[in-house]
Amino acid sequence: IMLLTDPEVESSLLISSDEGATYQKYRLNFYIHSLLFHPKQEDWILAYSQDQKLFSSVEFGRRWLLLHEGVAPNRFYWSVMGSGREPDLVHLEAKTADGHAQYITCKMQNCSEATRSKPFPGYIDHNSLIVQDDYVFVQLTSGGRPHYYVSYRRNAFAQMKLPKYSLPKDMHVISTDENQVFAAVQEWNQNDTYNLYISDTRGVYFTLALENVKSSQGLEGNVMIDLYEVAGIKGMFLANKKIDNQVKTFITYNKGRDWSLLQAPDTDLRGNPIHCLLPYCSLHLHLKVSENPYTSGNIASRDTAPSIIVASGNIGTELSDNDISMFVSSDAGNTWRKIFEEEHSVLYLDQGGVLVAMKHTSLPIRHLWLSFDEGRSWSKYSFTSLPLFVDGVLGEPGEETLIMTVFGHFSHRSEWQLVKVDYKSIFDRRCAEEDYRPWQLHSQGEACIMGAKRIYRKRKSEKKCMQGKYAGAMTSEPCVCTEADFDCDYGYERHSNGQCLPAFWYNPSSLSKDCSLGQSYLNSTGYRKVVSNNCTDGVRERYTAKPQQCPGKAPQGLRIITSDGKLTAEQGHNVTFLVQLEEGDLQRSLIQVDFGDGIAVSYANLSSTEDGIKHIYQNVGIFRVTVLVENSLGSDNAVLYLHVTCPLEHVHLSLPFVTTKNKEVNATAVLWPSQVGTLTYVWWFGNNTEPLITLEGSITFTFSVEGMNTITVQVSAGNTILQDTKTIAVYEQFQSLRLSFSPNLDDYNPDIPEWRRDISRVVKRALVEATGISSKHILVAVLPGLPTSAELFILPYQDATGENKRTAADLEQISETLIQKLNQNLVHFELKPGVRIFVHAAHLTAAPLVDLTPSHSGSAMLMLLSVVFVGLAVFVIYKFKRKIPGLNIYAQMQNEKDQEMVSPVSQRESIPNVPQSELMSPEQLVDEKVEVQPIEQPQATVQNPRKGNATKVVWTEDFQKACGSPRGFKPRPGAEVFPQLLSPRAQKKSLPM
């Protein structure tokens, strides 16, 4: 005996080995949520803890071993396969580190990573593992649809085949008896009903048994199907079917091959005739089984009493929750008798030789009813001297028992009272052979049920003796096979004339697709014998599938898919392709697969590709995967466009700090890594509720309203979405001033965005303190790279009313004040104790001038002259303090982290625009033929904006191994890297399709 302590007090087990005379306490280091005992080894236990850990014990709980963590609740099972091999094997569903669910098997005393097995390839849906008899079921959802897989006798998993357009939303396994699966499936157009399906022996191919079976929601949210399997008689079920919003009870004796309504009793309790004519009126039963072992449900039957069924229900046109009475059948559902006007709990004792009934009531009771003749007559007995509020009734285990225990309360405040009732004293002898009579199982007079005539031994109703151990059926004789012993095969439907004909979606010739010329296959006749049906001869030969020679066929219906059904893959990871063929000679077909990256493989036959074709892509891009299957009779081909991506790690939005009103501004999303595959860009401007969606990472736009404006870009790459937000100041006019710093600042410059932002804030504060100018007029941006420099923007800030807006003259005055203080070394800040940094004025700047094309000596000289000319012009403006009409001084520059996204080099100016003619459209990317030979030395141009010259740099193979981001490439400080300057030919080669 095992007792569990209250977990709120302590976590311990009390174990007794002497029937409760003494107990020994064993403390636990976990809190038990549930226990699962082995069906054969009484000392083997699995314990599930409240923190989702699974423990095992081979000593009846005295010592425990941790098996696995992250186990799904109620998804762990003992191995109970019919063959009985590996009884210590445990099946469980566990959560992986990344949150997926996986099916795992291991020994109960050793579940280390090295000894675990993963019978199902890949992940499964959460809370979907079911292990029942010889079958294992899992669910995997892809494309928004659940797919169900089954393993029979622990062999490889196969996808369960339902009729093509059932499109299931939910599935429940009802029964796995006699090597067959009975399942309830909720199809796409059902809400409160399920369809019943029955399978072949392997549990793969399912055919419809009954439509629109009623379902309901349990107290814990679980789905309850109104289907009841009658104990003691294989193949017998009761089901409540919904027809035109009415629920009616049906019965089958051959596992759903045929269904019929229940015949109502002929008379009521007073012997008055009941006028109920089929099919307009029948008996309807409630089929809910109690989940509480101490209370009975609405219906009950026992293996040791195969002909007796007791249930609550009503007589009429449909099932009702009103006027519920109790009914009993002593001939396996052929006829019924009414036994009580109100609901009662019924207990079976002595193989149904004694039926005990106790009224369902909220009032205390003293009496119960006994029947010794299968419910034909009832006698009233008192079981307690004081009325008792009955909480439950429990029969003692064992076939020969005549003991029952009633427990309840004398009052609502009293302790539990247990009353043990022993009926042995009622019988004075055991039954002898002459006390029994033969009884033949039948269905409305038809003796052949499931292909056999079965005769049972039943005690004569007038004999009052104790039966003892159940002997089972007396005799069983096989019947001659008739059409009634055969159901429709998979893909066939029964028509009104009783014939099984192919469904509109089914091609019978597809059965031959899995065989080769010279071999044979079983050609279905449209019928299959009900599993466990024992009939012989008769029409068996006519309806049984016939072996037939495989026809030679040209390949047809070729498909190529990935094993996970996705059209995306990650660079550097294995991709598994599956080649599927609807028709064709598989063994004599040549398969050629071209992965689209210059690599192709060939296979001599399709069977060699059953486990999939694996391939690793070294580059990102869209790859055209083609497969060709051909034999002597013809060929077929298929194409798959696979998007190979690299994980997107970071997004940086690059745009100017300040711009002028109504002037086009370029914004660019800089990615790390730079080559990640197919992307979608979503742009949000200010408070606009409608975004702009593009396939390009750069856009131009204008602002018509002055002030601070925000821009957000979201980049979608596969299942990843990253974003960055920047603020840009927009004014009709502004001025900018280049700042320099004491050289010692370079020693402390790590050249990262956070440091630049902090220094920008410190410089701005120092300028405000030195000049007294409002911080609203000043914007400071420290630029990337060395030596450290910054850009000072002078803004015409205005208040919220639009008043006090600064004019061009005011900006000029502010600029003079700032330059004066800077030249007097009055602007400085302390970087750290003892390190003071002075800020100096470099020069007024216009928009940065960058030559984006490789230049030679002549063009370099022209650029030098241009720079000198611009410098003289700035000097004249500053010297004579004159405002040239129509001239706005402004700055456009990259913001923060441009070069950190593109390369290890700091970047100071905007990424150049590549001419549209040099860019490739998505169609060109797909259609471009890839050359097989690798690119040895892709080149790029590195532009130095200060000197105007161009230097060619060779990118090694490391560049191509890092998703397009250059590694080991360190040009001198200040150099600019423009990957867009690759030649069109090099661009095409660096993006293999």
Side-chain angles (χ1 to χ4, degrees):
I1 300 174
M2 177 185 289
L3 300 177
L4 274 68
T5 59
D6 185 349
E8 294 185 359
V9 178
E10 62 176 324
S11 180
S12 300
L13 291 177
L14 301 176
I15 298 175
S16 171
S17 300
D18 52 12
E19 297 186 353
T22 60
Y23 286 90
Q24 187 171 357
K25 180 184 286 189
Y26 296 87
R27 294 191 178 275
L28 304 175
N29 59 359
F30 61 94
Y31 289 91
I32 293 179
H33 178 271
S34 61
L35 294 173
L36 182 65
F37 291 83
H38 195 278
K40 295 181 179 179
Q41 302 290 336
E42 61 180 16
D43 288 340
W44 293 5
I45 311 172
L46 295 177
Y48 185 69
S49 69
Q50 295 181 5
D51 56 352
Q52 297 189 331
K53 296 178 181 179
L54 188 66
F55 298 83
S56 67
S57 173
V58 294
E59 302 177 25
F60 199 71
R62 293 175 177 85
R63 287 195 300 176
W64 294 92
L65 174 70
L66 175 63
L67 278 187
H68 207 287
E69 299 182 4
V71 178
N74 302 318
R75 300 295 173 178
F76 49 91
Y77 308 86
W78 289 107
S79 182
V80 290
M81 201 173 71
S83 61
R85 64 185 181 187
E86 297 184 303
D88 61 340
L89 191 68
V90 178
H91 304 258
L92 57 95
E93 177 188 316
K95 185 182 294 184
T96 62
D98 53 0
H100 293 96
Q102 200 163 41
Y103 167 34
I104 294 173
T105 61
C106 61
K107 300 285 188 177
M108 65 175 298
Q109 288 294 292
N110 186 5
C111 200
S112 63
E113 185 68 36
T115 60
R116 296 172 192 163
S117 296
K118 299 171 183 176
F120 185 81
Y123 302 125
I124 64 175
D125 288 356
H126 291 281
N127 299 309
S128 70
L129 175 67
I130 297 175
V131 180
Q132 196 165 309
D133 296 327
D134 288 349
Y135 300 91
V136 179
F137 305 91
V138 296
Q139 175 181 318
L140 178 62
T141 299
S142 63
R145 293 181 183 174
H147 301 277
Y148 303 94
Y149 295 83
V150 61
S151 167
Y152 177 60
R153 292 188 173 176
R154 311 306 183 254
N155 291 316
F157 278 87
Q159 186 170 349
M160 298 164 67
K161 302 291 187 180
L162 294 164
K164 186 173 183 179
Y165 295 107
S166 62
L167 305 179
K169 297 189 296 185
D170 189 25
M171 174 185 288
H172 295 269
V173 176
I174 304 297
S175 168
T176 53
D177 293 340
E178 298 183 314
N179 298 323
Q180 192 172 35
V181 180
F182 214 176
V185 176
Q186 187 172 59
E187 301 188 7
W188 65 275
N189 56 351
Q190 293 178 307
N191 294 315
D192 59 350
T193 61
Y194 281 71
N195 289 350
L196 297 182
Y197 285 90
I198 195 163
S199 77
D200 60 350
T201 300
R202 295 191 305 127
V204 175
Y205 292 98
F206 285 77
T207 56
L208 182 65
L210 185 65
E211 291 183 295
N212 296 321
V213 177
K214 179 179 175 290
S215 68
S216 58
Q217 203 82 4
L219 296 177
E220 298 181 358
N222 54 313
V223 176
M224 303 176 67
I225 313 295
D226 267 23
L227 177 73
Y228 181 76
E229 184 175 10
V230 178
I233 301 178
K234 297 300 182 183
M236 184 176 175
F237 290 85
L238 291 161
N240 284 330
K241 179 179 179 179
K242 192 173 184 181
I243 304 175
D244 297 331
N245 293 322
Q246 290 185 330
V247 178
K248 300 176 183 288
T249 302
F250 287 79
I251 189 171
T252 180
Y253 293 89
N254 52 10
K255 278 195 171 181
R257 164 62 171 79
D258 302 291
W259 296 85
S260 59
L261 293 167
L262 296 180
Q263 177 65 59
D266 295 329
T267 60
D268 60 16
L269 288 177
R270 288 169 287 277
N272 300 320
I274 296 176
H275 301 286
C276 185
L277 186 63
L278 290 173
Y280 311 103
C281 175
S282 60
L283 174 64
H284 309 286
L285 303 178
H286 293 277
L287 304 179
K288 289 185 175 61
V289 179
S290 174
E291 298 179 359
N292 187 341
Y294 308 114
T295 59
S296 64
N298 301 115
I299 186 169
S301 62
R302 295 291 181 272
D303 287 327
T304 55
S307 63
I308 303 174
I309 308 170
V310 182
S312 62
N314 64 279
I315 299 171
T317 58
E318 63 176 324
L319 183 65
S320 172
D321 291 328
N322 302 319
D323 300 326
I324 298 177
S325 303
M326 296 298 297
F327 300 88
V328 65
S329 173
S330 56
D331 58 1
N334 285 280
T335 61
W336 295 82
R337 296 185 302 275
K338 193 174 185 179
I339 54 176
F340 296 107
E341 294 282 1
E342 299 175 291
E343 281 193 90
H344 284 65
S345 295
V346 177
L347 200 68
Y348 288 66
L349 299 177
D350 191 32
Q351 303 176 36
V354 180
L355 297 178
V356 183
M358 191 172 294
K359 185 178 180 180
H360 277 182
T361 178
S362 58
L363 301 176
I365 57 175
R366 304 175 49 190
H367 301 93
L368 49 75
W369 299 84
L370 294 181
S371 175
F372 301 94
D373 55 4
E374 299 178 344
R376 291 178 177 83
S377 61
W378 295 84
S379 302
K380 188 176 183 181
Y381 287 82
S382 175
F383 68 94
T384 177
S385 58
L386 296 175
L388 184 73
F389 291 96
V390 177
D391 294 317
V393 183
L394 186 64
E396 293 290 331
E399 293 179 340
E400 302 181 39
T401 182
L402 284 168
I403 300 174
M404 61 175 287
T405 302
V406 182
F407 56 95
H409 300 78
F410 287 130
S411 69
H412 293 297
R413 296 183 179 180
S414 69
E415 299 294 330
W416 259 10
Q417 306 294 324
L418 278 77
V419 180
K420 181 175 287 189
V421 185
D422 191 343
Y423 296 98
K424 282 185 180 179
S425 59
I426 296 177
F427 303 106
D428 55 4
R429 66 182 180 88
R430 285 186 173 269
C431 295
E433 191 64 33
E434 60 270 15
D435 295 318
Y436 292 94
R437 65 178 177 85
W439 173 78
Q440 186 171 43
L441 175 66
H442 66 94
S443 169
Q444 302 302 322
E446 174 56 54
C448 285
I449 295 179
M450 296 291 288
K453 295 179 180 179
R454 282 173 282 178
I455 298 177
Y456 294 83
R457 190 178 69 162
K458 296 184 69 172
R459 193 186 68 181
K460 296 176 182 178
S461 60
E462 68 273 10
K463 301 296 183 178
K464 196 173 182 180
C465 57
M466 188 169 65
Q467 298 190 79
K469 191 172 183 179
Y470 175 65
M474 254 173 73
T475 63
S476 179
E477 178 185 344
C479 297
V480 175
C481 291
T482 65
E483 190 270 340
D485 296 306
F486 292 82
D487 205 350
C488 289
D489 203 353
Y490 175 77
Y492 291 80
E493 297 173 337
R494 191 176 300 279
H495 287 242
S496 57
N497 59 2
Q499 285 187 310
C500 293
L501 300 176
F504 76 92
W505 50 267
Y506 184 67
N507 180 13
S509 64
S510 63
L511 291 172
S512 64
K513 71 176 184 178
D514 294 329
C515 67
S516 181
L517 189 64
Q519 297 179 340
S520 62
Y521 72 101
L522 290 177
N523 188 16
S524 175
T525 61
Y527 299 85
R528 70 181 183 194
K529 194 170 74 168
V530 177
V531 177
S532 71
N533 187 295
N534 298 318
C535 73
T536 59
D537 301 328
V539 300
R540 185 176 65 172
E541 185 67 23
R542 189 202 315 173
Y543 287 120
T544 302
K546 308 292 190 301
Q548 187 169 324
Q549 288 295 314
C550 296
K553 291 186 177 181
Q556 289 186 13
L558 180 65
R559 293 179 63 213
I560 180 169
I561 59 175
T562 57
S563 59
D564 57 5
K566 298 180 180 178
L567 296 176
T568 60
E570 192 171 325
Q571 178 200 22
H573 289 69
N574 255 322
V575 185
T576 302
F577 295 97
L578 301 178
V579 178
Q580 300 172 346
L581 189 64
E582 288 187 3
E583 293 185 8
D585 190 346
L586 307 187
Q587 300 299 327
R588 302 171 188 269
S589 297
L590 176 67
I591 298 97
Q592 298 179 11
V593 181
D594 187 339
F595 298 109
D597 61 349
I599 300 176
V601 294
S602 297
Y603 296 89
N605 55 66
L606 198 62
S607 60
S608 59
T609 68
E610 288 180 353
D611 296 331
I613 304 170
K614 300 184 184 299
H615 184 64
I616 297 177
Y617 286 92
Q618 300 296 340
N619 296 295
V620 300
I622 306 174
F623 294 85
R624 187 176 186 266
V625 185
T626 60
V627 58
L628 172 67
V629 176
E630 57 183 348
N631 59 21
S632 58
L633 300 176
S635 63
D636 196 6
N637 59 74
V639 178
L640 172 72
Y641 294 98
L642 184 70
H643 293 243
V644 178
T645 61
C646 186
L648 181 61
E649 298 179 16
H650 193 79
V651 174
H652 169 68
L653 178 58
S654 172
L655 75 162
F657 295 104
V658 186
T659 187
T660 54
K661 180 179 175 182
N662 295 323
K663 179 178 177 60
E664 281 194 349
V665 177
N666 179 269
T668 301
V670 184
L671 312 179
W672 175 260
S674 60
Q675 304 270 349
V676 295
T678 308
L679 301 171
T680 303
Y681 299 83
V682 183
W683 306 85
W684 303 83
F685 300 93
N687 296 322
N688 290 353
T689 57
E690 294 293 331
L692 173 64
I693 302 176
T694 68
L695 298 178
E696 299 293 335
S698 181
I699 62 170
T700 57
F701 53 91
T702 59
F703 288 101
S704 58
V705 179
E706 289 188 294
M708 305 302 291
N709 293 270
T710 60
I711 302 177
T712 299
V713 62
Q714 294 179 323
V715 183
S716 175
N719 295 326
T720 303
I721 298 180
L722 299 181
Q723 76 173 35
D724 190 20
T725 300
K726 288 292 187 297
T727 302
I728 182 172
V730 180
Y731 293 99
E732 288 186 356
Q733 55 184 353
F734 63 89
Q735 288 192 6
S736 67
L737 183 66
R738 183 61 61 90
L739 302 178
S740 61
F741 300 92
S742 304
N744 57 343
L745 181 60
D746 292 347
D747 298 335
Y748 302 95
N749 184 354
D751 202 14
I752 61 174
E754 292 85 353
W755 185 88
R756 292 194 289 271
R757 284 196 294 268
D758 287 339
I759 295 298
S760 298
R761 188 179 66 255
V762 171
V763 172
K764 179 177 179 179
R765 184 169 62 241
L767 286 167
V768 171
E769 291 174 355
T771 62
I773 298 172
S774 172
S775 62
K776 303 295 185 180
H777 295 292
I778 297 175
L779 176 64
V780 178
V782 176
L783 304 177
L786 295 174
T788 308
S789 62
E791 197 77 19
L792 169 61
F793 296 94
I794 306 163
L795 307 177
Y797 173 76
Q798 59 183 346
D799 55 29
T801 62
E803 301 294 332
N804 302 322
K805 182 178 179 181
R806 297 288 183 172
T807 63
D810 296 330
L811 296 182
E812 187 70 24
Q813 184 178 356
I814 294 174
S815 176
E816 290 180 7
T817 303
L818 289 169
I819 292 174
Q820 181 182 1
K821 297 296 184 182
L822 290 167
N823 290 338
Q824 294 174 358
N825 288 334
L826 297 179
V827 182
H828 51 79
F829 61 91
E830 192 174 52
L831 185 67
K832 57 185 300 185
V835 179
R836 182 162 296 279
I837 305 298
F838 287 88
V839 185
H840 309 286
H843 52 78
L844 282 173
T845 61
L849 300 176
V850 181
D851 185 5
L852 302 182
T853 60
S855 56
H856 303 284
S857 57
S859 58
M861 184 62 68
L862 291 174
M863 176 58 68
L864 180 61
L865 292 174
S866 300
V867 171
V868 171
F869 177 76
V870 172
L872 290 174
V874 172
F875 175 78
V876 171
I877 294 172
Y878 172 71
K879 186 68 178 176
F880 297 99
K881 302 179 183 180
R882 295 178 57 189
K883 176 79 170 66
I884 301 176
L887 174 63
N888 291 321
I889 302 176
Y890 62 95
Q892 288 180 294
M893 64 189 64
Q894 290 289 81
N895 192 4
E896 300 289 313
K897 298 177 280 188
D898 297 25
Q899 279 305 314
E900 292 171 337
M901 302 301 108
V902 178
S903 73
V905 186
S906 300
Q907 181 173 340
R908 194 169 294 181
E909 272 78 32
S910 300
I911 294 176
N913 293 325
V914 179
Q916 188 64 31
S917 60
E918 294 185 17
L919 294 177
M920 297 178 64
S921 67
E923 293 79 3
Q924 290 174 313
L925 291 177
V926 173
D927 294 336
E928 177 66 16
K929 181 64 177 179
V930 181
E931 295 184 6
V932 176
Q933 62 270 23
I935 306 167
E936 296 293 340
Q937 294 181 338
Q939 296 181 343
T941 299
V942 179
Q943 182 73 32
N944 188 326
R946 292 199 178 97
K947 297 185 178 180
N949 62 339
T951 305
K952 283 199 172 182
V953 177
V954 176
W955 288 342
T956 65
E957 292 181 357
D958 291 339
F959 166 70
Q960 301 182 52
K961 295 180 181 178
C963 304
S965 56
R967 293 181 180 175
F969 171 46
K970 297 181 179 179
R972 64 184 181 279
E976 302 291 354
V977 180
F978 301 124
Q980 293 91 332
L981 296 179
L982 286 170
S983 66
R985 187 65 177 170
Q987 290 186 46
K988 295 175 184 177
K989 289 185 179 180
S990 64
L991 290 174
M993 292 300 103

